[in-house]
PDB file of all heavy atoms in Angstrom:
ATOM      1  N   PHE A 220     -19.638  -1.435 -47.367  1.00 98.00           N
ATOM      2  CA  PHE A 220     -18.808  -0.428 -48.053  1.00 98.00           C
ATOM      3  C   PHE A 220     -18.577  -0.785 -49.524  1.00 98.00           C
ATOM      4  O   PHE A 220     -18.371   0.099 -50.351  1.00 98.00           O
ATOM      5  CB  PHE A 220     -17.430  -0.292 -47.387  1.00 98.00           C
ATOM      6  CG  PHE A 220     -17.451   0.173 -45.954  1.00 98.00           C
ATOM      7  CD1 PHE A 220     -16.310   0.084 -45.168  1.00 98.00           C
ATOM      8  CD2 PHE A 220     -18.598   0.713 -45.378  1.00 98.00           C
ATOM      9  CE1 PHE A 220     -16.306   0.516 -43.843  1.00 98.00           C
ATOM     10  CE2 PHE A 220     -18.605   1.141 -44.053  1.00 98.00           C
ATOM     11  CZ  PHE A 220     -17.453   1.033 -43.285  1.00 98.00           C
ATOM     12  N   ASP A 257     -11.873  -0.361 -40.749  1.00 98.00           N
ATOM     13  CA  ASP A 257     -13.247   0.130 -40.668  1.00 98.00           C
ATOM     14  C   ASP A 257     -14.109  -0.837 -41.471  1.00 98.00           C
ATOM     15  O   ASP A 257     -13.751  -1.211 -42.585  1.00 98.00           O
ATOM     16  CB  ASP A 257     -13.295   1.543 -41.270  1.00 98.00           C
ATOM     17  CG  ASP A 257     -14.547   2.307 -40.893  1.00 98.00           C
ATOM     18  OD1 ASP A 257     -15.531   1.684 -40.434  1.00 98.00           O
ATOM     19  OD2 ASP A 257     -14.546   3.542 -41.076  1.00 98.00           O
ATOM     20  N   CYS A 258     -15.237  -1.265 -40.868  1.00 98.00           N
ATOM     21  CA  CYS A 258     -16.063  -2.291 -41.503  1.00 98.00           C
ATOM     22  C   CYS A 258     -17.535  -1.911 -41.427  1.00 98.00           C
ATOM     23  O   CYS A 258     -18.001  -1.427 -40.387  1.00 98.00           O
ATOM     24  CB  CYS A 258     -15.829  -3.625 -40.793  1.00 98.00           C
ATOM     25  SG  CYS A 258     -16.749  -5.016 -41.490  1.00 98.00           S
ATOM     26  N   ASP A 268     -21.647  -0.348 -38.505  1.00 98.00           N
ATOM     27  CA  ASP A 268     -20.451   0.400 -38.913  1.00 98.00           C
ATOM     28  C   ASP A 268     -19.586   0.613 -37.682  1.00 98.00           C
ATOM     29  O   ASP A 268     -20.038   1.204 -36.705  1.00 98.00           O
ATOM     30  CB  ASP A 268     -20.897   1.740 -39.518  1.00 98.00           C
ATOM     31  CG  ASP A 268     -19.745   2.592 -40.027  1.00 98.00           C
ATOM     32  OD1 ASP A 268     -18.627   2.071 -40.177  1.00 98.00           O
ATOM     33  OD2 ASP A 268     -19.987   3.792 -40.280  1.00 98.00           O
ATOM     34  N   SER A 269     -18.353   0.108 -37.741  1.00 98.00           N
ATOM     35  CA  SER A 269     -17.471   0.231 -36.580  1.00 98.00           C
ATOM     36  C   SER A 269     -16.020   0.151 -37.043  1.00 98.00           C
ATOM     37  O   SER A 269     -15.745  -0.432 -38.094  1.00 98.00           O
ATOM     38  CB  SER A 269     -17.792  -0.896 -35.588  1.00 98.00           C
ATOM     39  OG  SER A 269     -17.081  -0.734 -34.390  1.00 98.00           O
ATOM     40  N   ALA A 270     -15.122   0.738 -36.278  1.00 98.00           N
ATOM     41  CA  ALA A 270     -13.703   0.744 -36.660  1.00 98.00           C
ATOM     42  C   ALA A 270     -12.813   0.594 -35.435  1.00 98.00           C
ATOM     43  O   ALA A 270     -13.199   0.987 -34.324  1.00 98.00           O
ATOM     44  CB  ALA A 270     -13.362   2.040 -37.398  1.00 98.00           C
ATOM     45  N   HIS A 331     -21.737  10.104 -37.876  1.00 98.00           N
ATOM     46  CA  HIS A 331     -22.982  10.215 -38.645  1.00 98.00           C
ATOM     47  C   HIS A 331     -24.099   9.402 -38.021  1.00 98.00           C
ATOM     48  O   HIS A 331     -23.840   8.482 -37.235  1.00 98.00           O
ATOM     49  CB  HIS A 331     -22.718   9.692 -40.064  1.00 98.00           C
ATOM     50  CG  HIS A 331     -22.054   8.335 -40.070  1.00 98.00           C
ATOM     51  ND1 HIS A 331     -22.765   7.169 -40.100  1.00 98.00           N
ATOM     52  CD2 HIS A 331     -20.746   7.978 -39.980  1.00 98.00           C
ATOM     53  CE1 HIS A 331     -21.913   6.141 -40.048  1.00 98.00           C
ATOM     54  NE2 HIS A 331     -20.689   6.605 -39.969  1.00 98.00           N
ATOM     55  N   GLU A 364     -16.910   8.558 -34.189  1.00 98.00           N
ATOM     56  CA  GLU A 364     -15.676   7.999 -34.743  1.00 98.00           C
ATOM     57  C   GLU A 364     -14.539   9.012 -34.825  1.00 98.00           C
ATOM     58  O   GLU A 364     -14.234   9.530 -35.888  1.00 98.00           O
ATOM     59  CB  GLU A 364     -15.926   7.353 -36.113  1.00 98.00           C
ATOM     60  CG  GLU A 364     -16.666   8.178 -37.135  1.00 98.00           C
ATOM     61  CD  GLU A 364     -16.777   7.419 -38.471  1.00 98.00           C
ATOM     62  OE1 GLU A 364     -15.773   6.851 -38.911  1.00 98.00           O
ATOM     63  OE2 GLU A 364     -17.871   7.419 -39.058  1.00 98.00           O
ATOM     64  N   HIS A 393      -7.998   5.847 -35.301  1.00 98.00           N
ATOM     65  CA  HIS A 393      -9.440   5.957 -35.593  1.00 98.00           C
ATOM     66  C   HIS A 393     -10.176   4.814 -34.904  1.00 98.00           C
ATOM     67  O   HIS A 393      -9.827   3.641 -35.106  1.00 98.00           O
ATOM     68  CB  HIS A 393      -9.612   5.863 -37.117  1.00 98.00           C
ATOM     69  CG  HIS A 393     -11.017   5.810 -37.614  1.00 98.00           C
ATOM     70  ND1 HIS A 393     -11.398   4.995 -38.661  1.00 98.00           N
ATOM     71  CD2 HIS A 393     -12.140   6.464 -37.230  1.00 98.00           C
ATOM     72  CE1 HIS A 393     -12.687   5.174 -38.910  1.00 98.00           C
ATOM     73  NE2 HIS A 393     -13.168   6.048 -38.050  1.00 98.00           N
ATOM     74  N   GLU A 395     -14.352   3.629 -33.823  1.00 98.00           N
ATOM     75  CA  GLU A 395     -15.758   3.969 -34.078  1.00 98.00           C
ATOM     76  C   GLU A 395     -16.684   2.954 -33.418  1.00 98.00           C
ATOM     77  O   GLU A 395     -16.487   1.744 -33.544  1.00 98.00           O
ATOM     78  CB  GLU A 395     -16.009   3.957 -35.592  1.00 98.00           C
ATOM     79  CG  GLU A 395     -17.476   4.154 -35.988  1.00 98.00           C
ATOM     80  CD  GLU A 395     -17.684   4.174 -37.492  1.00 98.00           C
ATOM     81  OE1 GLU A 395     -16.841   3.617 -38.223  1.00 98.00           O
ATOM     82  OE2 GLU A 395     -18.694   4.746 -37.934  1.00 98.00           O
TER      83      GLU A 395
HETATM   84 MG1   MG B 239     -16.891   3.232 -40.144  1.00 94.46          MG
END
Side-chain angles (χ1 to χ4, degrees):
F220 298 167
D257 197 344
C258 182
D268 182 14
S269 187
H331 50 91
E364 50 177 315
H393 174 220
E395 174 178 23

